[in-house]
Amino acid sequence: MITIKDRLMAARNRLPIFVNKHFLDKKRKNLKYKILSYALFPLGLIEQEKLKKVSLVSQKNKNFQYKMIVVSIMKNEAPYIKEWIKYYLSIGVEHFYIYNNNSSDSTEEMLNSFSEVTCINYPGELRQLDAYNDALNRFKNIAQYITVVDADEFIFCPNEFKFNLYQFVDKYLSHKEVAGLGIHWLIFGSSHLMTQPEGLVTENYVYRSKTNFYKNKHVKTIINPRKILGYTNAHLPIPLPGYKIVNENYKIIDSPASDSVTVNKIRINHYFTKSKEEFMKKRNRGLADNVGKRSMQEFQIHDKNDVFDDAMKGYNKKNNLDI
């Protein structure tokens, strides 16, 4: 359920001001930060009304530079970037705006090797929500639709080995009242690998969780940015009043983790753990939206290898994905 407080926070987070608003929330126990955080709410309400007016006008704009873009924030993802970008290009994504967050490996170099990528250096801690809200402000009139995913997430249509993401999503987002399409995860485990193998992530990790695994209740959202108020959660943005986010069955999603999982038409293959060695590297990077590091218990929770699923191998072969 989206509350009034959610809307206030989303409106505040959308404000184009130079303050890490997510950081303010993490410092709630400090009275100074708490006062500043809540003091921004009235400005957020003004921003919401402005965005509503702009939204009604901008829906008529058909002259977008891109039909479909990807927005992501990354840190030290160099080994995986090439496969990830080439995959999304193969399903029709036209451009990528990648927020490079304090990478110390060759992430920036890899990103800049693609003409379809704009690399935005975005230092600091806890910057995920800031990046997403910044993207809303900067790219809302550049792209018709925005896909917000991480570097370990691959959107996949299990029944279509040759599909165009824009065409699929447009069937949903072309409805006047729809602001976004929420897509459920399927968590892929380590395939019992201890060390990082050579080759593609999508071909090395072929065992996943059962559909009803509770972590699969989470979604990531493809949005019409002109109908979105802002992000208070990385999984599900807050739509402007009068709009809604739906799943593949057109049912409303109003929580980052819904009651049930539906992945018959479209899903996100989420390679959360990969091998144990790779998870340890991921753990040492820290979190994008919280203080501290992941616990090893997270590996144990997500390392689900219950169902053999090599459908991505078939996709790569059929589409001659040259990676």
Side-chain angles (χ1 to χ4, degrees):
M1 176 70 69
I2 297 173
T3 65
I4 294 176
K5 184 178 180 181
D6 291 330
R7 292 199 174 279
L8 286 169
M9 291 181 66
R12 182 208 65 189
N13 287 0
R14 186 71 184 272
L15 285 168
I17 56 179
F18 295 99
V19 59
N20 187 335
K21 296 171 284 291
H22 189 50
F23 175 74
L24 295 179
D25 289 335
K26 296 300 176 185
K27 294 290 187 180
R28 281 176 191 269
K29 292 181 180 180
N30 184 310
L31 183 60
K32 177 178 67 175
Y33 286 107
K34 188 173 183 179
I35 292 172
L36 178 57
S37 180
Y38 281 92
L40 294 172
F41 281 167
L43 292 177
L45 286 174
I46 295 171
E47 185 72 6
Q48 175 179 277
E49 293 306 307
K50 183 178 75 174
L51 290 169
K52 283 168 61 178
K53 293 177 183 178
V54 171
S55 174
L56 293 174
V57 174
S58 61
Q59 301 310 325
K60 301 177 181 179
N61 178 19
K62 302 296 182 182
N63 300 315
F64 300 104
Q65 185 176 351
Y66 303 111
K67 290 182 177 180
M68 177 66 74
I69 67 170
V70 162
V71 165
S72 186
I73 183 167
M74 294 184 181
K75 181 177 181 178
N76 294 345
E77 296 282 3
Y80 310 109
I81 287 171
K82 186 176 181 181
E83 176 183 3
W84 186 79
I85 288 176
K86 288 208 168 187
Y87 174 77
Y88 276 102
L89 288 173
S90 79
I91 62 174
V93 169
E94 296 169 291
H95 201 79
F96 302 77
Y97 291 93
I98 308 299
Y99 290 75
N100 179 26
N101 181 229
N102 295 336
S103 291
S104 57
D105 65 357
S106 58
T107 288
E108 184 175 0
E109 181 182 349
M110 285 294 300
L111 291 172
N112 287 331
S113 69
F114 288 90
S115 60
E116 300 91 350
V117 174
T118 297
C119 179
I120 302 164
N121 283 315
Y122 210 65
E125 297 181 348
L126 311 177
R127 302 309 306 275
Q128 186 174 36
L129 296 182
D130 294 332
Y132 293 172
N133 286 302
D134 181 74
L136 282 176
N137 288 330
R138 295 175 65 175
F139 311 130
K140 63 180 181 292
N141 292 318
I142 291 176
Q144 187 173 355
Y145 303 138
I146 298 178
T147 297
V148 181
V149 285
D150 296 332
D152 58 1
E153 296 172 334
F154 291 73
I155 296 175
F156 182 63
C157 285
N159 300 317
E160 299 181 44
F161 268 2
K162 195 128 185 132
F163 79 100
N164 181 282
L165 186 59
Y166 169 80
Q167 292 174 359
F168 184 97
V169 170
D170 189 58
K171 292 181 292 185
Y172 296 86
L173 299 193
S174 60
H175 289 257
K176 183 178 179 181
E177 74 282 4
V178 177
L181 174 66
I183 307 173
H184 284 279
W185 284 341
L186 282 182
I187 297 288
F188 279 69
S190 67
S191 288
H192 307 293
L193 295 170
M194 297 298 293
T195 59
Q196 181 175 352
E198 294 183 0
L200 305 181
V201 168
T202 54
E203 296 189 3
N204 287 329
Y205 300 100
V206 292
Y207 287 91
R208 62 168 173 82
S209 61
K210 296 177 181 178
T211 301
N212 63 358
F213 176 46
Y214 76 98
K215 288 290 185 179
N216 292 333
K217 292 182 178 182
H218 287 90
V219 299
K220 283 295 185 71
T221 312
I222 300 178
I223 61 170
N224 178 334
R226 295 159 300 283
K227 297 178 182 179
I228 297 297
L229 175 58
Y231 280 88
T232 62
N233 182 284
H235 298 274
L236 192 77
I238 306 296
L240 282 164
Y243 299 111
K244 61 186 179 182
I245 293 171
V246 300
N247 68 11
E248 62 175 26
N249 299 319
Y250 292 95
K251 292 186 177 180
I252 294 176
I253 299 176
D254 58 7
S255 172
S258 59
D259 292 334
S260 60
V261 181
T262 174
V263 290
N264 295 321
K265 300 174 186 176
I266 193 167
R267 72 194 199 194
I268 295 177
N269 289 358
H270 189 190
Y271 300 92
F272 181 87
T273 63
K274 304 185 183 74
S275 67
K276 193 167 186 178
E277 175 188 40
E278 290 166 281
F279 180 82
M280 291 300 293
K281 292 178 181 177
K282 177 178 183 174
R283 179 174 180 265
N284 290 334
R285 289 201 303 262
L287 298 164
D289 62 351
N290 214 326
V291 177
K293 295 182 178 181
R294 301 182 186 278
S295 69
M296 285 307 298
Q297 185 180 13
E298 287 197 61
F299 179 84
Q300 296 161 3
I301 291 171
H302 291 85
D303 187 22
K304 296 296 182 182
N305 302 285
D306 303 319
V307 179
F308 178 75
D309 184 343
D310 68 345
M312 288 290 284
K313 277 188 177 181
Y315 176 89
N316 293 343
K317 183 176 181 181
K318 186 160 184 134
N319 291 278
N320 298 313
L321 214 57
D322 178 22
I323 303 171

